[in-house]
Amino acid sequence: MISKLPKQITERLPFELTRSKLIALGAAAVALLVWIAMPGSGTKIDGKDIATFEVRRGLLPINVLEGGNIHALESLEIKSEVKPDGTKILFIVEEGYEVTEEDVEQGKILVELDTNPLKEKMFNHEVEFQTDYANYLDADQNRSIQASETASEIKETRQIVRFALLDFEKYLGTDAAHEILKERELPYDAETLAQYEESWGHSAGDKDPRFEPAAAAVEALNPTGESVASVDFIKYIKADELGDGEAQQILRQLGDELLVAESELALAEESYQGSQRLAEKQFISQTELENEAVALDKKRLDVKTAETALELFRKYEFNKMAEQYLSVFEEALQKLNREKREAEARIAQADVKFKSAKRRFELEEKEKEDLEYQLSRTIIRAEIPGLVAYGGEETNYYKSRYYDPISEGVEVRYGQPIITIPDMTKMAVTVNIHESYVKKVDIGQPARVTVDAEPGKILTGEVAELAVLPDSANMRYNPNLKVYPAAIHIDGTHDWLKPGMTAQVEIVVNEISDALHVPVQSIFVVNDEHFCFVKDGGRVERRPVEVGDFNDEFIEINSGLEEGELVFLSPPADFDQEAEEEQAALAKADT
């Protein structure tokens, strides 16, 4: 019956009830037609019988129906703890065996694994264990026989420090540079640099007190090389205290350029004033006078440019370059300190190698203990009562495809689930909610559960889990089908309920107490307009309607129909939905 429905109803029903979802409702629709087949529920149009439905008013439950499987909320999953892959199962209790409290007390064997591969690995490991023990003894004897080859690296770094100090002096001048370094308690010449370096690594009583704060200052430098405390370099320009360095030379050059620009401006002004007098007596043309004015403006601009260049250097460039040279010097000091510490670390490498050998030996001891533990886990005994199921709690195709089915003689991998004992007192149903219904479903909504094995029993529960993203595994097989995994926790304990049983879930999302409603297949859609076909005496009337909420069978009518009217469950023969869609599309394109 669903295959004969007009295409519009399967493409644009309210709340995104799509064609794929409507096809799933085919069985419900057929049942509905049988239910409504009664005297007066059909009529003849053009000699053909067309089923009708009387518009009704009453309770309209809004439910979401989905199928799923029963599973336990909590389970004891026993995995293989034997690390060599390919450990064979020598014995396993039959699937479905019910472990009792007595079995737990007596330590009943549920699984027995082959120990031969593990024993072979333990034998091979014993050889490695003895080798590491011998290395440990050798490292203990040789840890004091090591030579340090760091002198050249320290010498090179010390040279970098000296060059950085010279660059700083070269830029600021010797006097200004030394004054700044003294204020910061940093070395400022070869003698103080040697004393500064000598203060590292000494005890507190042997340190030169002049450089204790300085050594702390070097260690306080941040990773970018910038000093924690800033220096006001501008004051040296303002007080004219710069020595004869690069900065002073740049200042002189910029000052000379400004003087030249000002002189040229004075000459240009005199020339322009003379040209004005000549122009007044018409000895030169107006064009020549304008050229003189342009030249004067250019000289004024040159003066402004020279003033700006001098000001920028005084306020920004000088401070930037001075701080950069100081930062390079501080970083060089820090690098020298690091090099000396690394030299101490290299001297201690012999001891480190000894400790490393000792650590490897301890690891081998630990692995030996681990192998012994694995050997003890080749026998798996009953820990809790419950029903034995082979494999893991959740079946994941992409993971389980690499595992052979559990049985005697099969080889299992490390971490592979062997048996699962579910807690039968706490059960749930896992379902996939279609995307057209997922906005209706929410955590905490009540649900009714019917198990296929016991169709006469109705269980209650509620929605406890709902995914926020669609299931990627289902999308792999059908990209157009988007479903959201959900879990419905079942109320109470039921001895007959087993994991893996197929169940149907009805989630109650809403109930409309006084709703005017018709079957969903009586509603058609063309160009976003919902309408139905109403029996009006002996003719068929096409009538637009406004629809509301819906379930798998009925849809709410907000306006357009009256209670008691008869609507057709299929369109008349002269209704060509595809033609109307094409006309609507052409009309829309024209506008």
Side-chain angles (χ1 to χ4, degrees):
M1 192 66 191
I2 291 299
S3 61
K4 297 180 181 180
L5 291 179
K7 186 170 63 174
Q8 288 89 339
I9 191 171
T10 64
E11 290 181 340
R12 200 184 291 272
L13 276 177
F15 299 96
E16 302 177 355
L17 183 59
T18 59
R19 176 186 295 271
S20 60
K21 191 63 180 176
L22 246 164
I23 293 175
L25 306 180
V30 172
L32 174 65
L33 293 179
V34 173
W35 175 65
I36 63 174
M38 59 183 67
S41 64
T43 188
K44 286 183 177 288
I45 300 294
D46 296 332
K48 296 182 179 180
D49 288 327
I50 302 179
T52 60
F53 181 86
E54 182 179 341
V55 181
R56 299 174 182 176
R57 181 179 296 278
L59 179 66
L60 180 61
I62 308 300
N63 300 335
V64 174
L65 301 176
E66 296 289 355
N69 296 315
I70 302 292
H71 74 279
L73 289 175
E74 298 178 4
S75 299
L76 173 62
E77 189 176 73
I78 301 177
K79 301 179 180 180
S80 172
E81 297 185 61
V82 181
K83 292 181 180 178
D85 286 342
T87 304
K88 186 179 295 185
I89 299 177
L90 299 181
F91 165 78
I92 185 170
V93 70
E94 63 273 13
E95 188 170 23
Y97 176 81
E98 187 170 355
V99 179
T100 63
E101 292 286 356
E102 184 179 356
D103 291 336
V104 175
E105 293 175 2
Q106 295 178 355
K108 179 180 176 61
I109 296 177
L110 303 181
V111 180
E112 183 178 354
L113 303 178
D114 187 8
T115 60
N116 289 331
L118 187 59
K119 290 180 179 179
E120 182 179 354
K121 185 175 182 180
M122 294 177 70
F123 176 78
N124 295 332
H125 175 263
E126 184 65 24
V127 177
E128 297 178 4
F129 176 79
Q130 295 298 334
T131 301
D132 286 332
Y133 179 64
N135 292 337
Y136 165 65
L137 295 178
D138 289 341
D140 188 26
Q141 294 175 358
N142 299 327
R143 58 178 171 170
S144 61
I145 310 173
Q146 297 292 333
S148 175
E149 297 179 355
T150 61
S152 60
E153 295 179 3
I154 293 177
K155 181 180 179 180
E156 181 181 352
T157 307
R158 190 178 290 122
Q159 188 179 51
I160 293 174
V161 172
R162 288 198 300 269
F163 287 170
L165 176 59
L166 291 175
D167 288 340
F168 186 55
E169 292 177 348
K170 178 183 176 183
Y171 187 74
L172 287 178
T174 303
D175 293 339
H178 285 190
E179 182 180 345
I180 291 173
L181 294 175
K182 289 177 181 178
E183 288 179 356
R184 296 179 58 73
E185 298 179 325
L186 293 174
Y188 50 86
D189 57 18
E191 180 183 356
T192 56
L193 182 59
Q195 295 171 349
Y196 184 86
E197 184 180 345
E198 187 68 20
S199 68
W200 295 336
H202 289 181
S203 61
D206 296 334
K207 287 185 179 180
D208 190 332
R210 293 180 299 167
F211 297 109
E212 279 192 48
V218 170
E219 295 184 4
L221 296 176
N222 63 32
T224 63
E226 296 177 351
S227 176
V228 175
S230 60
V231 179
D232 183 12
F233 297 100
I234 302 299
K235 70 177 183 179
Y236 293 95
I237 289 184
K238 292 180 179 179
D240 197 18
E241 295 180 359
L242 288 178
D244 194 13
E246 287 184 355
Q248 183 64 43
Q249 295 300 322
I250 295 173
L251 276 174
R252 290 171 182 169
Q253 180 181 349
L254 293 175
D256 291 344
E257 291 176 358
L258 177 58
L259 289 175
V260 170
E262 290 174 343
S263 299
E264 292 179 349
L265 175 61
L267 293 175
E269 287 176 343
E270 290 181 6
S271 177
Y272 178 70
Q273 292 173 1
S275 297
Q276 280 183 320
R277 291 191 292 271
L278 292 175
E280 291 173 356
K281 296 178 181 182
Q282 298 184 349
F283 288 126
I284 62 173
S285 65
Q286 186 66 27
T287 301
E288 291 175 311
L289 180 61
E290 291 176 355
N291 290 338
E292 289 288 337
V294 171
L296 177 60
D297 290 340
K298 184 177 182 302
K299 295 303 179 182
R300 288 173 178 165
L301 181 60
D302 290 343
V303 171
K304 189 65 177 177
T305 300
E307 290 175 344
T308 302
L310 180 58
E311 186 66 17
L312 287 176
F313 179 77
R314 286 176 175 272
K315 294 179 64 176
Y316 303 108
E317 188 65 23
F318 168 72
N319 193 68
K320 171 186 172 183
M321 295 303 298
E323 184 173 344
Q324 180 175 332
Y325 281 119
L326 178 58
S327 177
V328 170
F329 177 59
E330 290 179 336
E331 174 60 28
L333 287 173
Q334 188 181 24
K335 183 177 181 181
L336 179 59
N337 191 9
R338 287 198 302 266
E339 287 289 350
K340 298 204 70 169
R341 292 185 179 184
E342 288 174 3
E344 295 175 358
R346 294 188 186 96
I347 294 174
Q349 281 184 357
D351 186 59
V352 171
K353 289 183 178 180
F354 163 73
K355 292 179 180 179
S356 177
K358 181 181 179 182
R359 178 60 177 163
R360 283 196 297 269
F361 170 67
E362 292 173 346
L363 289 176
E364 293 298 337
E365 277 190 317
K366 185 176 181 181
E367 184 174 355
K368 185 177 182 180
E369 295 173 358
D370 183 55
L371 290 173
E372 292 172 351
Y373 171 77
Q374 293 180 52
L375 185 63
S376 68
R377 296 302 296 169
T378 55
I379 302 295
I380 299 174
R381 301 181 183 274
E383 298 180 19
I384 62 171
L387 200 66
V388 173
Y390 287 175
E393 179 181 5
E394 296 183 359
T395 302
N396 186 328
Y397 171 75
Y398 295 100
K399 185 175 180 181
S400 62
R401 59 187 288 191
Y402 298 106
Y403 298 149
D404 293 328
I406 297 297
S407 64
E408 291 184 0
V410 169
E411 294 181 346
V412 293
R413 303 182 182 186
Y414 174 73
Q416 178 180 351
I418 301 177
I419 60 174
T420 301
I421 303 178
D423 183 357
M424 308 294 288
T425 63
K426 300 176 182 179
M427 308 294 280
V429 188
T430 54
V431 296
N432 290 324
I433 305 297
H434 191 271
E435 63 177 336
S436 61
Y437 286 143
V438 71
K439 291 183 179 179
K440 295 183 178 183
V441 179
D442 201 359
I443 301 294
Q445 289 177 338
R448 291 186 287 269
V449 179
T450 304
V451 182
D452 291 359
E454 297 284 348
K457 298 179 180 179
I458 298 179
L459 308 178
T460 60
E462 67 174 26
V463 180
E465 303 172 30
L466 180 62
V468 296
L469 295 176
D471 186 2
S472 57
N474 281 304
M475 292 174 62
R476 184 184 298 269
Y477 295 105
N478 187 355
N480 296 323
L481 177 62
K482 295 183 176 61
V483 293
Y484 293 75
I488 289 81
H489 292 187
I490 299 174
D491 297 333
T493 301
H494 310 277
D495 296 338
W496 54 271
L497 203 58
K498 307 295 182 184
M501 286 183 170
T502 303
Q504 304 300 321
V505 176
E506 180 182 3
I507 303 173
V508 182
V509 299
N510 190 17
E511 285 187 346
I512 305 175
S513 59
D514 188 26
L516 199 66
H517 57 274
V518 296
V520 292
Q521 62 265 41
S522 66
I523 302 299
F524 305 88
V525 183
V526 173
N527 196 25
D528 294 336
E529 178 192 4
H530 296 77
F531 59 91
C532 63
F533 295 97
V534 183
K535 181 179 179 181
D536 184 10
R539 65 185 185 89
V540 178
E541 176 189 355
R542 175 172 171 168
R543 186 182 300 175
V545 295
E546 180 182 345
V547 298
D549 211 341
F550 62 92
N551 59 22
D552 288 345
E553 297 177 351
F554 296 99
I555 186 168
E556 181 185 12
I557 302 297
N558 291 331
S559 65
L561 292 174
E562 299 292 338
E563 183 178 1
E565 289 186 302
L566 295 178
V567 295
F568 291 93
L569 299 181
S570 60
D574 59 351
F575 175 65
D576 189 343
Q577 184 164 351
E578 293 184 358
E580 290 200 14
E581 287 178 344
E582 292 177 0
Q583 291 177 3
L586 291 174
K588 185 176 182 180
D590 291 340
T591 58

